[in-house]
Amino acid sequence: MSTDQFGLAEDTYVPHPDRDTTLLLDAFYAALRERTRPRDLTSAMRARQVSLEEANRSLIVDAPARQNLRLATALVAAYEVLRPGVGREAAVEAVGAALNEPFGDAVREGTRARLDEAEDAFLSIVEMSKAREEHAFGKGFVFDRTVDDDERYHVEVRRCFFHDVMAANGTPELTPILCAFDANWIDAIDPDEHGFRFERPTTIGTGGTHCPFHFERTAR
């Protein structure tokens, strides 16, 4: 069975928001179930997620936003259920680990395989980024492509749907969890082998005014 459940290594990679979000949430709740034994709290978390989705449905602007709302409200729901018992810091840590650990290796390996096998790794990662911008993130995010040529691809995220959801629900401290998920594919990049580097010095979730995603060739 392939470990590349998201199809990252495929030449024709296109995100599938419904399927991808379901995979993430199933793994997320499974990880939380292990963490909350002997008392399984995931039923309460899922019920709260449904309530939060309904309360925040006005934020849905397109099909990707519908799936991104599912993901964001799952984090808020789990955090709300955990926080009274373990405290703010431990609840953030538990929610972050449950989201980022289950598919960390798979995302790194899938991205690495894509870059290793690509004729031009820089163009391949740019294609993947553009596909995610359109199909996985959609109109709930605002992207500003300040540079897009054969040597550099700079896209600035001016608005983050995830942060909007977290802020609307009084939990902006959860946004960095979603920022951290990107580390799984970022860590797959080897500038010496792939001929480009990636820089993201800040994010909206960590206090920046925007999220700079900068890809630049280092060699030809």
Side-chain angles (χ1 to χ4, degrees), residues 69-216:
L69 182 64
R70 289 175 63 201
L71 182 58
T73 53
L75 269 62
V76 176
Y79 179 60
E80 288 183 352
V81 171
L82 289 173
R83 185 174 52 188
V86 302
R88 179 179 183 274
E89 185 175 339
V92 170
E93 188 278 330
V95 172
L99 178 69
N100 291 320
E101 291 178 3
F103 284 111
D105 289 343
V107 171
R108 280 189 295 274
E109 291 167 8
T111 305
R112 181 66 186 239
R114 177 187 183 88
L115 298 177
D116 287 349
E117 296 167 11
E119 182 176 345
D120 187 323
F122 170 77
L123 291 182
S124 182
I125 199 76
V126 169
E127 289 173 1
M128 185 172 77
S129 180
K130 290 180 176 179
R132 287 179 57 75
E133 290 162 30
E134 178 180 358
H135 299 286
F137 297 120
K139 296 178 181 178
F141 290 74
V142 173
F143 298 100
D144 181 10
R145 294 177 183 171
T146 56
V147 181
D148 184 6
D149 57 34
D150 195 45
E151 299 294 323
R152 297 174 299 162
Y153 181 61
H154 291 186
V155 59
E156 324 293 338
V157 181
R158 303 292 181 184
R159 181 177 182 181
C160 172
F161 178 84
F162 291 130
H163 188 65
D164 288 349
V165 174
M166 300 311 183
N169 289 277
T171 58
E173 63 267 33
L174 298 182
T175 309
I177 292 173
L178 290 152
C179 303
F181 191 82
D182 287 332
N184 294 320
W185 62 261
I186 293 170
D187 288 347
I189 299 169
D190 185 329
D192 292 333
E193 290 191 21
H194 300 135
F196 72 92
R197 63 177 176 269
F198 172 79
E199 294 181 349
R200 187 190 63 175
T202 188
T203 67
I204 294 170
T206 57
T209 58
H210 65 291
C211 311
F213 283 69
H214 293 179
F215 304 86
E216 298 188 359

